[in-house]
Amino acid sequence: MTLRVYDSMFRELVDFQTREAQRAYIYVCGPTVYNRIHIGNARTFVWFDMIRRYLVYRGYDVTYVMNYTDVDDKIIERANLEGIPPDGVTSKYSKAFEEDMAALGMRSPDIVVRATEHIADMVEAIAGLIDKGVAYDAGGDVFFSIEKFPSYGKLSGRTLEDMRAGERIEPHPGKSHPLDFALWKAAKEGEPSWPSPWGPGRPGWHIECSVMSTKYLGMGFDLHGGGSDLTFPHHENEIAQAEALAGTEPFVRHWLHTGMVQMESEKMSKSLGNVELAGDVAKAFGGEPVRYWALSGSYRSQVTFSEETLKDASAAYDRWRTFFFAARHALGDDMPAVPVRVRPIDSEVDGGVGAEFVKRFVGSMDEDFNSPEAFASIHELVREANRVLEPAQRGEAEARAELVSYTETFLELTSLLGFQFDAGAGSSRLLAGLVEYLLELREEARREKAFDRSDRIRHKLGELGVTIEDTPAGPRWRLGAGET
Ligand SMILES: [Zn+2]
């Protein structure tokens, strides 16, 4: 068995081949932190959270990096609008983003990188590109010269003519080609700026991502994700910068892009008010039903956001929840706990009657994360399990054994998808004790400057769905979407 993904670079399904065996290094373009995120953006983040979880489930050791763009025209505009400094804007909306992520059951990335904390790295990269003759200083603005990078356009499959026709080109007297893009923007009055060999200014958006991704993940990392609207020019430019600077390729092994969300919010706003922001949608429908909506359609396809599609998703999600409570009622003390399980690619799936559904589920997900089929296999499992509920409750031994197996599989697969039907119940005291003990060990490691060890603890807790937030009063934690 292999995992196959639809790679945007090759425009076909390819085997997922990582740089190191059973390790996956992922970078996803995160938010520009100047407003609350839209449900369309949120779906992209929910999906990469899912892909990360699935890779862990299939036995990969995953490192997941996301950036926050915290220097940008839109941030400066927002700062002027709200009458607060730009870093006030970015801290306010970073926090809002994290709340929305948690509301939709997303785990924190292993590493969150902020552009403003990596300006020196970007200046160094830009200087390197100038040294290599692929970038030039045009009076304080620095541009990348696309004609010096012959494979420019390979990701989007566009010719230079297509690109010129399709894009709004910013005119600049110093540009040598109209499609040359800014690596460094000279400071304007009243804007945040940093010193550089070309005068004070700030980095362009594209250089942020290629510099920070390779800094943490190295050249040739495994998976770069984002919405399909970022393919051109953003990801095309990232490739040009990284590969021209390193003098090697590939920058990234696999490019994955999520489909766009078709909004029918006009119709919705008549009955529900304006629900386009992810946080508002989660409040209106509940985080888990919205997560169900986001994941039940294939990540690559365009999906519709409407009252109808959300209600359908809620109804389908309720069938799962109803089954969970019915099984718990029928099984009593025999109710299985959520199994913490990995199923490495080449492992055998065996066991009771649930095993067949695990096989179907992974068979679907291994094929480019085919979630419509994977979700259908869980619904099929629930239908089968519902048949044995009654005899199991009457105490028939065979039916009980089957129901235990179905329920265990149900919990394995739904918790993998990020649903927590049992949130807060049962073993929560034990869990809290263990997490707090690990956090103590992490603090100890940090005091000893053993950052390797403290990072490992954070990484592992992150993989298990524990979000850690460092506050002045010490670390706080919560479980994915669950309550603290
Ligand atoms: Zn990016």
Side-chain angles (χ1 to χ4, degrees):
M1 284 294 288
T2 46
L3 177 62
R4 300 208 301 163
V5 297
Y6 184 88
D7 190 315
S8 318
M9 176 73 84
F10 304 108
R11 285 174 275 282
E12 62 181 3
L13 285 172
V14 298
D15 288 352
F16 183 64
Q17 286 179 322
T18 52
R19 185 172 54 193
E20 296 161 39
Q22 294 304 100
R23 284 225 50 157
Y25 296 91
I26 304 178
Y27 184 89
V28 171
C29 291
T32 300
V33 281
Y34 76 106
N35 64 2
R36 304 279 308 276
I37 58 163
H38 189 271
I39 186 68
N41 294 119
R43 180 172 180 269
T44 293
F45 298 128
V46 169
W47 252 110
F48 284 107
D49 171 73
M50 183 65 240
I51 288 171
R52 170 218 207 167
R53 286 166 187 261
Y54 190 68
L55 291 174
V56 170
Y57 180 68
R58 294 304 258 157
Y60 289 87
D61 188 351
V62 176
T63 302
Y64 181 41
V65 179
M66 184 187 280
N67 70 305
Y68 289 178
T69 296
D70 60 354
V71 50
D72 188 86
D73 288 336
K74 288 182 230 138
I75 293 166
I76 298 165
E77 274 169 35
R78 174 64 68 149
N80 293 335
L81 198 74
E82 295 194 14
I84 53 177
D87 59 352
V89 170
T90 58
S91 66
K92 173 176 170 185
Y93 290 105
S94 299
K95 198 166 162 282
F97 175 68
E98 283 156 12
E99 286 166 8
D100 292 345
M101 298 250 298
L104 295 177
M106 283 182 254
R107 293 179 176 173
S108 296
D110 295 304
I111 306 173
V112 168
V113 290
R114 290 173 173 80
T116 54
E117 290 168 4
H118 296 82
I119 303 285
D121 298 309
M122 296 174 210
V123 166
E124 194 187 317
I126 296 166
L129 287 167
I130 294 177
D131 278 350
K132 299 217 162 190
V134 293
Y136 56 92
D137 175 2
D141 291 315
V142 179
F143 291 100
F144 185 94
S145 178
I146 56 142
E147 288 168 308
K148 301 278 171 60
F149 187 71
S151 59
Y152 191 70
K154 64 182 169 183
L155 175 67
S156 56
R158 297 186 196 202
T159 62
L160 291 186
E161 288 70 41
D162 293 341
M163 295 181 213
R164 276 181 82 155
E167 286 302 303
R168 188 177 62 92
I169 309 266
E170 278 182 48
H172 188 288
K175 268 192 190 182
S176 53
H177 186 283
L179 284 169
D180 288 354
F181 57 89
L183 299 170
W184 187 260
K185 299 174 174 185
K188 294 194 199 98
E189 185 67 35
E191 289 184 357
S193 68
W194 289 263
S196 85
W198 322 284
R202 59 191 164 97
W205 172 39
H206 313 302
I207 193 75
E208 235 182 68
C209 284
S210 59
V211 166
M212 297 194 295
S213 61
T214 50
K215 174 169 178 156
Y216 291 93
L217 304 175
M219 270 299 274
F221 65 89
D222 302 304
L223 194 165
H224 193 317
S228 56
D229 54 338
L230 298 186
T231 310
F232 183 84
H234 184 53
H235 291 160
E236 197 75 72
N237 293 351
E238 280 190 47
I239 294 171
Q241 293 161 163
E243 293 184 358
L245 182 65
T248 58
E249 57 171 40
F251 163 45
V252 167
R253 274 158 209 274
H254 298 291
W255 286 93
L256 268 66
H257 290 97
T258 50
M260 294 289 101
V261 172
Q262 176 80 38
M263 299 298 291
E264 280 190 17
S265 43
E266 223 171 277
K267 257 200 258 166
M268 290 181 88
S269 61
K270 282 188 192 132
S271 57
L272 295 169
N274 191 12
V275 282
E276 289 196 348
L277 299 179
D280 294 350
V281 181
K283 271 198 201 100
F285 290 91
E288 296 215 328
V290 176
R291 188 174 171 92
Y292 186 105
W293 165 82
L295 292 176
S296 54
S298 148
Y299 77 94
R300 282 200 286 135
S301 44
Q302 177 174 293
V303 294
T304 302
F305 178 81
S306 66
E307 193 171 348
E308 211 185 330
T309 55
L310 261 291
K311 279 185 174 161
D312 286 350
S314 295
Y317 167 81
D318 278 343
R319 286 202 290 279
W320 288 1
R321 208 173 49 157
T322 303
F323 165 69
F324 170 80
F325 288 111
R328 194 160 74 176
H329 181 66
L331 291 173
D333 287 347
D334 293 335
M335 180 72 177
V338 178
V340 177
R341 200 168 272 158
V342 293
R343 303 236 183 225
I345 293 277
D346 289 319
S347 62
E348 284 292 320
V349 179
D350 46 25
V353 288
E356 193 51 41
F357 293 94
V358 174
K359 283 184 202 160
R360 280 174 54 185
F361 180 93
V362 298
S364 305
M365 289 295 278
D366 281 351
E367 195 68 359
D368 197 32
F369 315 105
N370 186 337
S371 61
E373 274 184 16
F375 275 55
S377 65
I378 299 179
H379 281 291
E380 182 64 27
L381 175 154
V382 166
R383 270 193 293 277
E384 290 297 318
N386 279 334
R387 281 186 230 275
V388 295
L389 270 175
E390 250 187 57
Q393 195 158 350
R394 281 199 305 271
E396 287 179 23
E398 198 185 329
R400 282 186 85 78
E402 284 190 9
L403 185 58
V404 167
S405 174
Y406 283 132
T407 306
E408 205 174 27
T409 304
F410 171 82
L411 292 172
E412 174 182 338
L413 300 180
T414 53
S415 70
L416 163 64
L417 294 171
F419 300 110
Q420 293 179 302
F421 297 100
D422 205 8
S427 52
S428 61
R429 263 189 57 208
L430 172 66
L431 173 74
L434 287 171
V435 171
E436 255 132 48
Y437 180 58
L438 282 169
L439 288 180
E440 241 174 76
L441 293 181
R442 174 171 167 259
E443 286 310 290
E444 213 171 77
R446 276 157 48 124
R447 277 195 300 274
E448 292 166 15
K449 303 213 177 316
F451 294 114
D452 192 292
R453 202 184 335 140
S454 65
D455 284 346
R456 251 187 359 249
I457 295 173
R458 189 190 182 100
H459 180 82
K460 191 70 214 173
L461 285 171
E463 274 184 0
L464 295 171
V466 179
T467 301
I468 302 167
E469 195 187 339
D470 287 306
T471 72
R476 285 206 319 229
W477 66 276
R478 62 171 187 272
L479 255 190
E483 54 268 43
T484 312

